[in-house]
Amino acid sequence: MKFIKMNGLGNDFVIFDSRAQEIALNPDQIRRIANRTTGVGCDQVLVISAHDASDAAMTVHNADGSTGAAMLCANGLRCVAHYLCEDLGRDSITVFHAGAVRAC
């Protein structure tokens, strides 16, 4: 699976883009990816997906495998917004995260 690793103000993230192809990660896979000794290592795994009311949606997976979808992850949102702006060739985008569409 292709991924990118980004750092946002001291937090590091492994980001998967599933807008074109569905990526389903289970909690065990998240824990293995996030493991700093045997995996890629990160604070959180972020998954970008398609969304009808915005340019994309972002789901947060904590390093322990739990989903923190209700939790606002501003540093992760910064990284995803930067990635999407680069990918889409735009200066601003919208991302559905933590129950709301965020303008970035």
Side-chain angles (χ1 to χ4, degrees), residues 40-102:
V40 178
C42 63
D43 294 311
Q44 293 169 316
V45 173
L46 309 177
V47 178
I48 302 168
S49 58
H51 190 263
D52 291 337
S54 63
D55 293 308
M58 179 180 90
T59 303
V60 177
H61 300 275
N62 297 313
D64 66 1
S66 64
T67 301
M71 170 183 63
L72 181 62
C73 182
N75 290 339
L77 183 58
R78 283 185 192 97
C79 291
V80 166
H82 176 78
Y83 169 80
L84 289 170
C85 282
E86 293 272 321
D87 186 59
L88 299 173
R90 296 178 28 203
D91 293 329
S92 63
I93 49 95
T94 56
V95 178
F96 182 79
H97 171 56
V101 174
R102 315 282 175 176

Side-chain angles (χ1 to χ4, degrees), residues 22-41:
E22 182 69 27
I23 296 172
L25 299 170
N26 65 47
D28 186 52
Q29 290 170 312
I30 298 292
R31 285 189 293 274
R32 285 187 280 147
I33 291 165
N35 187 298
R36 294 190 184 279
T37 304
T38 59
V40 178

